[in-house]
């Protein structure tokens, strides 16, 4: 499967979002949008209004990462705003299968996100209900944090669980991904790479995405 590059808007210049969207339009496979509520994570970012405003300036598929408490309550709003993929945190949702079904019923792909300390076994009864797993390689809340390498074996473990069950679930990795760490996660089974500071922190966004892509080319069939 081809590896997809998903630049995270969190590290973009929020005073010129339309320009930032244009800068990644041709080199990215998806656009990753980080939604934070100041409750589940210690930071506040964007909501459905900004997602909708961005929608008018991009043809990329929108991958909304909900780092919010009670995410189920907001799924309809993000679907309406134009999200194509929505992930909810395992740690934040008491009725996980119901939330995932709501996302799928709305025509988007449903993801389960897990924090670095959350074990792979948490996904035992969730894998059949989702389209992708978002494995955090930093504790969520901020861009530019250091990649937590001890999480890599967990990616491999989840990949094995998916293969053993013959499922078509993809693994997305988020946090500290750059040209150095991307080969580690792709080697462990990830096919979607989120990169915030490694793309929007560079002057040439296209070259930054290309260098991550080159670093993983040929690693997977
Ligand atoms: C962090 C967010 C990430 C963030 C990653 O909580 O979920 O998507 O943008 O930023 P980098 O790639 O800089 O670690
Ligand atoms: Zn994210």
């Amino acid at each position: 499967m081809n590896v997809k590059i998903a630049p995270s808007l969190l590290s973009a210049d929020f005073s010129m979002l339309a320009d930032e969207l244009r800068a990644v339009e041709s080199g990215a496979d998806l656009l990753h949008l980080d939604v934070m509520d100041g409750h589940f994570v210690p930071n506040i970012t964007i909501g459905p209004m900004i997602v909708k405003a961005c929608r008018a300036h991009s043809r990329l598929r929108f991958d909304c990462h909900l780092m919010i408490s009670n995410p189920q309550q907001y799924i309809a709003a993000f679907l309406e705003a134009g999200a194509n993929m929505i992930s909810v945190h395992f740690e934040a949702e008491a009725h996980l299968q119901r939330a995932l079904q709501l996302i799928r019923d709305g025509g988007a792909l449903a993801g389960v996100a897990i924090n670095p300390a959350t074990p792979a076994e948490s996904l035992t009864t969730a894998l059949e209900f989702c389209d992708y797993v978002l494995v955090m390689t930093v504790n969520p809340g901020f861009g530019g944090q250091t990649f937590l390498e001890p999480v890599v074996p967990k990616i491999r473990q989840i990949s094995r669980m998916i293969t053993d069950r013959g499922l078509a679930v993809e693994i997305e990795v988020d946090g500290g991904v750059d040209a150095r760490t991307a080969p580690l996660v792709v080697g462990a089974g990830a096919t979607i790479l989120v990169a915030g500071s490694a793309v929007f922190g560079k002057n040439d966004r296209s070259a930054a995405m290309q260098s991550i892509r080159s670093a993983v080319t040929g690693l997977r069939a």
Side-chain angles (χ1 to χ4, degrees), residues 6-36:
S8 167
L9 203 62
L10 186 65
S11 292
D13 182 340
F14 274 64
S15 70
M16 41 183 280
L17 285 179
D19 291 340
E20 294 286 50
L21 291 168
R22 206 169 307 120
V24 295
E25 180 84 23
S26 63
D29 299 289
L30 306 167
L31 184 79
H32 186 83
L33 299 117
D34 289 300
V35 177
M36 305 186 191

Side-chain angles (χ1 to χ4, degrees), residues 32 34 65 67 174:
H32 186 83
D34 289 300
H65 176 192
M67 286 161 278
D174 185 6

